[in-house]
């Protein structure tokens, strides 16, 4: 059984009448890399600040390592925080910045020296001891901030968009580094981000937040392969959603009848207790074939016309209009021998096929309004870079 390091029980945070965090229950395990992922304003930072003690909950309970810390100030919690603005002391050397927490605890000099060296080695900055914060890059400053936070050996490290100020390439590099560091020190990390790729790269588990709650919690693969709400499906990558009615339930796969009377199948367990649903399918799970090619036995099929093809190098992205009017996005990997002439072009009639096991199911918006239902745009209608 995993040991629970951080527990939130029915936590609510209101600012005046506005509810920032809306009855959250959460358990983060010891040694876990756990992310709170969601769009701006969904309550992730507020949740993190309550764990850190920078904000008091309006109601609810917060436990760290089995101890109620709900009303304790930050310095009485065995927790440290790394912010996006890493706030190093500009007048102190890198050594003294990292040593800061130990100096305050009156740790003796020889131990400070050894521990600072150990930390700078961990973040791959040995030899930088005598520099000042103005003499290092943004990525290096973030590493120093990390070393400074870890030197006190907190039970839990809270990270609030720590890579937000870095350029994309450096971010990607630091994501791999952060994961390595977390595994090396074995400390529980709770990481706040609005970047789905970032959360998926590093996390053991992710809570996908929307409007003060989390809609789904799981490991990256299950969130991507089996999202249970429109919001989650749309926030973690592109998804095609086909509304329909459950038509048959017997056996391994359920049949879902779409508006144009086509029946597509999905794992039966996913439609339990539901009637009106939307069947989801990720763009890379769909195969495009000649209209006259046979569909592999047991696979779902739709017919449509290619409306647009965008050559992206590693893959080609197609927009296909199905006969019932639905627009689907399809990715096809460009294998070595593929030349532009072998790609599908606009106007071609195609058959779309996929395995029923690759279908997922979310509640249909009409019968189960999701929290975002009244918004003019839901995340699944947005391009990834627009979703933050
Ligand atoms: P972002 O990614 O933009 O930081 P977030 O998901 O971290 O967003 P929070 O910062 O937790 O969101 O904010 C949640 C909600 O609470 C927002 O509507 C925000 O405006 C509100 N809020 C946060 N802090 C305060 C405050 N001190 N006073 C009033 N409202 C606040």
């Amino acid at each position: 059984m995993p040991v629970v390091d951080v527990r939130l029980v029915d936590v609510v945070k209101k600012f005046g009448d506005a509810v920032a965090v809306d009855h959250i229950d959460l358990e983060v395990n010891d040694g876990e890399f756990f992310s709170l992922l969601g769009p701006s304003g969904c309550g992730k930072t507020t949740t993190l600040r309550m764990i850190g003690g920078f904000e008091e909950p309006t109601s609810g309970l917060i436990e760290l390592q089995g101890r109620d810390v709900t009303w304790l100030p930050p310095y009485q919690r065995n927790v440290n925080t790394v912010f996006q603005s890493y706030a190093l002391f500009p007048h102190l050397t890198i050594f003294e910045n990292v040593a800061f927490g130990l100096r305050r605890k009156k740790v003796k000099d020889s131990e400070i020296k050894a521990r600072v060296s150990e930390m700078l080695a961990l973040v791959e900055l040995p030899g930088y001891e005598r520099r000042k914060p103005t003499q290092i890059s943004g990525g290096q400053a973030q590493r120093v901030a990390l070393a400074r936070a870890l030197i006190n050996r907190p039970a839990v490290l809270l990270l609030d968009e720590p890579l937000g100020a870095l350029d994309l390439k450096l971010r990607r590099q630091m994501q791999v580094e952060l994961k390595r560091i977390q595994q090396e020190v074995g400390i529980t990390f709770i990481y706040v981000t609005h970047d789905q790729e970032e959360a998926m790269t590093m996390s053991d588990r992710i809570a996908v937040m929307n409007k003060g709650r989390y809609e789904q919690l799981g490991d990256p693969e299950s969130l991507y392969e089996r999202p249970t709400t429109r919001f989650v499906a749309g926030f973690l990558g592109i998804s095609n959603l086909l509304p329909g009615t459950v038509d048959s339930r017997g056996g391994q796969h359920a049949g879902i009848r779409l508006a144009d009377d086509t029946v597509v199948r999905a794992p039966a367990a996913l439609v339990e207790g539901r009637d009106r649903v939307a069947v989801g399918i990720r763009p890379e799970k769909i195969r495009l074939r000649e209209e006259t090619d046979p569909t592999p036995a047991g696979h779902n099929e739709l017919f449509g016309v290619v409306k647009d093809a965008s050559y992206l190098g590693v893959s080609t992205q197609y927009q296909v209009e199905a006969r019932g009017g639905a627009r689907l996005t399809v990715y096809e990997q460009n294998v070595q021998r593929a030349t532009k002439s072998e790609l599908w072009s606009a106007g071609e009639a195609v058959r779309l096929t996929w395995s029923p096991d690759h279908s997922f199911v979310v509640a249909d918006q009409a019968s189960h309004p999701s929290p975002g239902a009244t918004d003019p745009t839901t995340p699944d209608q947005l391009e990834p870079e627009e979703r933050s």
Side-chain angles (χ1 to χ4, degrees):
M1 275 291 279
V3 178
V4 176
D5 229 3
V6 179
R7 177 178 281 124
L8 271 62
V9 184
D10 203 18
V11 170
V12 175
K13 178 65 186 180
K14 291 184 186 170
F15 294 104
D17 286 343
V19 182
V21 173
D22 191 7
H23 299 277
I24 281 195
D25 292 298
L26 204 60
E27 288 188 348
V28 180
N29 297 324
D30 183 28
E32 191 169 31
F33 198 124
F34 190 95
S35 291
L36 298 169
L37 170 69
S40 183
C42 70
K44 6 181 237 305
T45 296
T46 305
T47 305
L48 199 76
R49 287 173 59 80
M50 288 192 286
I51 298 170
F54 302 106
E55 209 77 74
E56 286 180 354
T58 307
S59 62
L61 172 80
I62 299 175
E63 278 182 13
L64 291 172
Q65 298 183 303
R67 176 169 165 240
D68 181 353
V69 298
T70 316
W71 308 107
L72 290 185
Y75 60 88
Q76 285 181 15
R77 303 182 184 204
N78 195 6
V79 166
N80 237 328
T81 310
V82 179
F83 299 100
Q84 181 176 328
S85 54
Y86 18 80
L88 300 178
F89 300 111
H91 57 290
L92 295 182
T93 60
I94 300 309
F95 182 97
E96 288 303 331
N97 264 286
V98 177
F100 191 76
L102 299 184
R103 293 247 185 259
R104 287 187 55 175
K105 284 189 187 162
K106 307 259 184 295
V107 174
K108 63 178 190 295
D109 274 1
S110 57
E111 189 183 338
I112 290 180
K113 199 155 183 288
R115 280 171 66 179
V116 170
S117 294
E118 185 195 339
M119 280 301 126
L120 288 178
L122 178 75
V123 299
E124 296 189 328
L125 284 179
Y128 282 71
E129 288 84 347
R130 297 160 75 95
R131 293 208 197 179
K132 293 279 185 62
T134 51
Q135 297 168 323
I136 58 175
S137 71
Q140 289 166 340
Q142 198 50 282
R143 287 166 193 259
V144 174
L146 195 62
R148 186 178 59 175
L150 287 171
I151 202 162
N152 290 326
R153 298 177 181 151
V156 180
L157 189 67
L158 307 175
L159 303 104
D160 191 357
E161 307 248 13
L163 310 183
L166 308 179
D167 68 49
L168 192 64
K169 198 167 164 219
L170 197 52
R171 274 179 93 137
R172 298 279 176 261
Q173 212 179 314
M174 280 297 287
Q175 288 163 13
V176 176
E177 277 288 284
L178 263 179
K179 181 74 190 161
R180 174 191 63 79
I181 290 168
Q182 191 266 342
Q183 283 172 342
E184 224 169 294
V185 295
I187 288 173
T188 308
F189 276 28
I190 305 184
Y191 194 95
V192 157
T193 182
H194 63 267
D195 181 333
Q196 54 112 356
E197 196 178 321
E198 185 157 297
M200 289 182 79
T201 308
M202 296 187 289
S203 316
D204 296 310
R205 288 191 306 155
I206 302 169
V208 185
M209 291 189 66
N210 185 23
K211 303 194 172 175
R213 303 175 147 238
Y214 61 87
E215 293 216 351
Q216 196 174 348
L217 193 161
D219 60 78
E221 190 182 332
S222 57
L223 290 175
Y224 183 79
E225 302 288 341
R226 291 268 188 271
T228 54
T229 70
R230 277 178 180 264
F231 179 83
V232 175
F235 204 77
L236 280 90
I238 305 270
S239 59
N240 299 297
L241 295 176
L242 307 165
T245 311
V246 179
D247 191 63
S248 61
R249 294 173 188 275
Q252 196 186 344
H253 296 122
I256 294 107
R257 190 171 293 279
L258 309 182
D260 68 343
D261 254 4
T262 312
V263 174
V264 296
R265 279 162 316 123
L270 303 183
V271 303
E272 257 171 43
R274 288 166 160 178
D275 185 22
R276 290 208 45 83
V277 295
V279 178
I281 179 72
R282 297 290 186 188
E284 73 281 6
K285 301 289 186 341
I286 301 175
R287 268 289 301 277
L288 294 182
R289 301 165 185 278
E290 299 283 350
E291 199 179 22
T292 50
D293 271 6
T295 298
H299 279 218
N300 289 321
E301 65 179 18
L302 293 174
F303 294 90
V305 174
V306 175
K307 288 291 174 187
D308 183 63
S310 312
Y311 184 77
L312 305 176
V314 63
S315 63
T316 301
Q317 176 180 309
Y318 296 99
Q319 296 298 326
V320 181
E321 190 173 299
R323 277 186 196 160
R327 277 264 180 164
L328 290 98
T329 302
V330 180
Y331 295 150
E332 282 204 335
Q333 201 77 14
N334 293 332
V335 288
Q336 258 175 358
R337 63 188 159 69
T339 64
K340 277 203 91 154
S341 63
E342 289 173 299
L343 306 173
W344 302 96
S345 28
E348 280 188 274
V350 287
R351 179 185 290 242
L352 305 91
T353 67
W354 73 94
S355 158
D357 290 327
H358 288 151
S359 301
F360 57 85
V361 174
V362 300
D364 182 44
Q365 231 162 352
S367 54
H368 301 279
S370 75
T374 53
D375 288 353
T377 51
T378 54
D380 51 299
Q381 294 168 314
L382 301 179
E383 292 301 315
E385 58 274 22
E386 290 180 291
R387 277 188 220 126
S388 60

